[in-house]
């Protein structure tokens, strides 16, 4: 399947610069992440991913910032009953700090719609953000009539993603 090949190829790219790792994490969490309130201000975050390669990539990114996470699997109940991968990040001071720097959570541990400008100041950061979004929620169909799609939960996130892509010379509709 083309989507799997795309994810596998993108997951093999390991950004070295800290700003690029943060931007890729931001892209992943903005399209495939969810926040879970535990009470008393504590928040856990999860990624729901379609590929083991992407789950390993996200795990490695988090580990590069000393953020602990756990990979779990489950069978999707609908459609093809495919195996899905969840990355669980328990709220900890290091996790909160990293996810705040990545523009995923604000200073009060609340999710943000899109990262602030400080997360994507350079060409390399924007490319890493787009890679993270493709890893987290991208699909590619074809080959006859190629079609690339990235899903987002909110329209604001879709607009932001389209703006980032446009700044890098790609048009998303």
């Amino acid at each position: 399947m083309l989507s799997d090949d795309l994810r596998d190829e993108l997951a093999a790219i390991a950004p070295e610069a800290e700003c690029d790792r943060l931007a890729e994490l931001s892209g992943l969490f903005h399209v495939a992440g969810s926040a879970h309130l535990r009470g008393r201000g504590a928040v856990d975050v999860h990624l729901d991913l379609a590929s083991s390669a992407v789950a390993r990539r996200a795990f490695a990114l988090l580990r590069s910032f000393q953020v602990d996470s756990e990979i779990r699997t489950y069978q999707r109940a609908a459609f093809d009953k495919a195996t899905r991968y969840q990355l669980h990040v328990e709220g900890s001071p290091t996790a909160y700090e990293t996810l705040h720097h990545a523009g995923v959570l604000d200073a009060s541990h609340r999710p943000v719609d899109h990262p602030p400008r400080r997360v994507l100041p350079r060409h390399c950061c924007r490319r890493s953000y787009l890679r993270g979004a493709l890893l987290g929620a991208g699909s590619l169909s074809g080959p006859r009539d190629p079609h690339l799609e990235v899903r987002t939960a909110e329209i604001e996130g879709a607009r932001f993603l389209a703006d980032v892509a446009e700044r890098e010379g790609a048009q998303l509709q």
Side-chain angles (χ1 to χ4, degrees), residues 13-158:
I13 299 170
E16 293 182 24
E18 180 175 309
C19 64
D20 295 339
R21 293 193 318 269
L22 284 170
E24 189 171 310
L25 268 178
S26 186
L28 275 164
F29 275 98
H30 279 105
V31 299
S34 59
H36 300 269
L37 304 175
R38 294 188 330 198
R40 298 183 187 203
V43 176
D44 291 348
V45 290
H46 300 170
L47 283 174
D48 194 340
L49 305 164
S51 157
S52 63
V54 176
R56 288 190 305 273
R57 177 83 217 115
F59 184 85
L61 283 168
L62 288 163
R63 188 172 37 185
S64 76
F65 294 104
Q66 286 79 45
V67 174
D68 293 328
S69 60
E70 178 183 347
I71 299 175
R72 300 177 188 174
T73 61
Y74 70 95
Q75 297 283 169
R76 186 164 49 183
F79 304 112
D80 58 356
K81 307 226 186 271
T83 299
R84 299 285 298 181
Y85 302 85
Q86 283 188 337
L87 204 78
H88 290 241
V89 179
E90 188 174 314
S92 70
T94 304
Y96 292 145
E97 180 181 356
T98 299
L99 294 172
H100 177 67
H101 287 324
V104 175
L105 300 176
D106 69 12
S108 299
H109 311 152
R110 293 180 302 232
V112 296
D113 291 334
H114 58 77
R117 292 178 190 232
R118 66 174 166 73
V119 176
L120 308 176
R122 292 182 294 283
H123 173 69
C124 61
C125 302
R126 291 186 295 273
R127 287 176 46 191
S128 294
Y129 182 86
L130 291 170
R131 183 174 48 249
L134 286 168
L135 284 167
S139 64
L140 180 63
S141 61
R144 231 195 208 162
D145 186 22
H147 179 79
L148 177 66
E149 185 176 303
V150 182
R151 294 168 311 282
T152 62
E154 302 291 333
I155 190 71
E156 294 83 18

